């Protein structure tokens, strides 16, 4: 009875049938089907083609209040999609990426301030080379930040400010704000990793890993053959993880899942790799917080004959790609099975062909780019097929792939950030040269800022727009 009475009241206010009196009995036309029709009728007649409210209720004087057309348009756009509260990232808009990008930009994005290639330079007092940069700047984070680590193991949690976007009245501000503890030179003990590394370790970018929530930093290279977990807030040692028979030489982290869970990959001089599980709820390596000192790896990856120099992991594809000091790169499954060896082109056969890999990056689309010590770049598919090669005179120290895997960023001792097309390694753009060599590199979450760690102890932030090389932009705009 209550449902029928409610449905009848809706019909009276909607006045869907002009020939029907307000007091006429609802009869057989009441019920869920009639209610659905009433709601659909209201939504469909709420917005006119001109963008203003134009419903039959307003014309007949039944509605005295005003409704926001933008709110109704937002409901229409999200109709049929999973509720946003259940997702970490929002739904992709129902249009091409190029069209959405251009529609969301405001005139402020095309001012002289933003068109400059170099946005800012941030100098740290330590003057030590910035060997690692991590940019976890997702909108959902409590503290989005750009974390830097120098060669003397001094890290900084630099606050991140998004570039001005759709809000035109938003004042312009620099995207990176220096860590107040570093700027004021107080509380430096909270930013210094005091534990000593093995004397034979040369600190590089893959000696460090930052968790996706910016709360913990993982460091390898210790003399006791372990890697360790530190809190970025206090600098306190949280966990020591053993498992290798020799010094750990590199670390890598997979993409994070809901809750911050991810996989950690460690490579060592014992020519093996160990796959670990990071628990985002307990913030430790392993599943049991009571046995954090006795963590066990999920898989042991073998097949190399020499020291592991670089590695990457793609949990979405279930693959691990790694390189050793005097050998080729290998592809393993996350279960530890050796799948294939990445071999070089037949035209470059020789002792130096695709040996001594230094840097590896893999995309979610199944492509892998490898930089070798002799200056050779190679792009492979996950099936082991060589797709492109390129040689460079610069000694490359850092590489970074765009999120869609279509573009490659490189930086080295020449201090120049280069943009390459991934599938054929065609050079697209070169940023202005810096006065020092590049040691590390990271991309912001929105892909609009490139952050490079310099050998002079500073970071340089470049403005980036991958869409300028997009085929749709070049042909239509």
């Amino acid at each position: 009875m209550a449902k029928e009475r409610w449905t009848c009241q809706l019909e009276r206010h909607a006045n869907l049938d002009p020939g029907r009196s307000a007091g006429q009995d609802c009869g057989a036309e009441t019920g869920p089907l009639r209610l659905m029709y009433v709601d659909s009728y209201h939504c469909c007649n709420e917005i006119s083609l001109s963008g203003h409210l134009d419903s039959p209720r307003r014309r007949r004087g039944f509605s005295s209040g005003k409704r926001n057309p933008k709110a109704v348009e937002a409901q229409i756009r999200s109709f049929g999609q999973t509720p946003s509260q259940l997702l970490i990232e929002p739904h992709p808009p129902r249009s091409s990426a190029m069209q959405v990008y251009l529609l969301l930009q405001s005139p402020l994005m095309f001012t002289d301030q933003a068109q400059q290639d170099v946005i800012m330079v941030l100098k740290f007092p330590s003057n030590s080379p910035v060997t690692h940069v991590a940019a976890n700047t997702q909108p959902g984070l409590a503290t989005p930040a750009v974390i830097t680590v120098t060669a003397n193991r001094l890290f900084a949690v630099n606050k991140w400010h998004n570039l001005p976007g759709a809000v035109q009245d938003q004042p312009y501000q620099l995207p990176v704000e220096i860590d107040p503890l570093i700027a004021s030179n107080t509380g430096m003990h909270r930013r210094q990793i005091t534990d000593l590394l093995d004397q034979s370790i040369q600190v590089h970018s893959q000696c460090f890993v930052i968790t996706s929530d910016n709360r913990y930093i993982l460091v390898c290279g210790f003399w006791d053959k372990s890697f360790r977990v530190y809190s970025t807030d206090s600098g306190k040692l949280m966990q020591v993880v053993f498992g290798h028979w020799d010094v750990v030489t590199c670390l890598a982290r997979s993409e994070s899942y809901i809750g911050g869970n991810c996989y950690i990959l460690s490579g060592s001089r014992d020519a093996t790799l160990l796959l670990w599980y990071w628990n985002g709820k307990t913030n430790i390596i392993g599943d049991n917080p009571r046995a954090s000192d006795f963590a066990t790896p999920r898989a042991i990856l073998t097949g190399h004959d020499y020291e592991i120099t670089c590695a990457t992991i793609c949990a979405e594809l279930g693959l691990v790609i790694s390189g050793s000091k005097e050998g080729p790169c290998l592809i393993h499954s996350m279960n530890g099975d050796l799948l294939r060896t990445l071999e070089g082109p037949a035209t470059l056969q020789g002792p130096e062909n695709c040996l001594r890999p230094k840097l590896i990056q893999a995309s979610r689309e199944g492509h892998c780019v490898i930089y070798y010590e002799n200056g050779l770049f190679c792009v492979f598919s996950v099936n082991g097929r060589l797709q492109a090669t390129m040689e460079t005179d610069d000694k490359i120290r850092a590489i970074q792939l765009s999120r869609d895997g279509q573009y490659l960023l490189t930086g080295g001792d020449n201090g120049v950030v280069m943009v390459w097309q991934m599938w054929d390694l065609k050079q697209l753009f070169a940023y202005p040269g810096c006065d020092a060599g590049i040691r590390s590199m990271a991309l912001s979450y929105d892909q609009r800022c490139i952050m490079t760690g310099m050998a002079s102890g500073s970071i340089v932030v470049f403005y980036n727009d991958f869409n300028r090389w997009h085929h749709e932009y070049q042909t239509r705009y």
Side-chain angles (χ1 to χ4, degrees), residues 60-79:
R60 293 184 178 90
F62 288 103
S63 177
S64 58
K66 295 183 178 180
R67 296 183 63 183
N68 188 358
K70 294 183 178 180
V72 181
E73 291 174 0
Q75 293 177 358
I76 295 173
R77 283 195 299 268
S78 61
F79 179 76

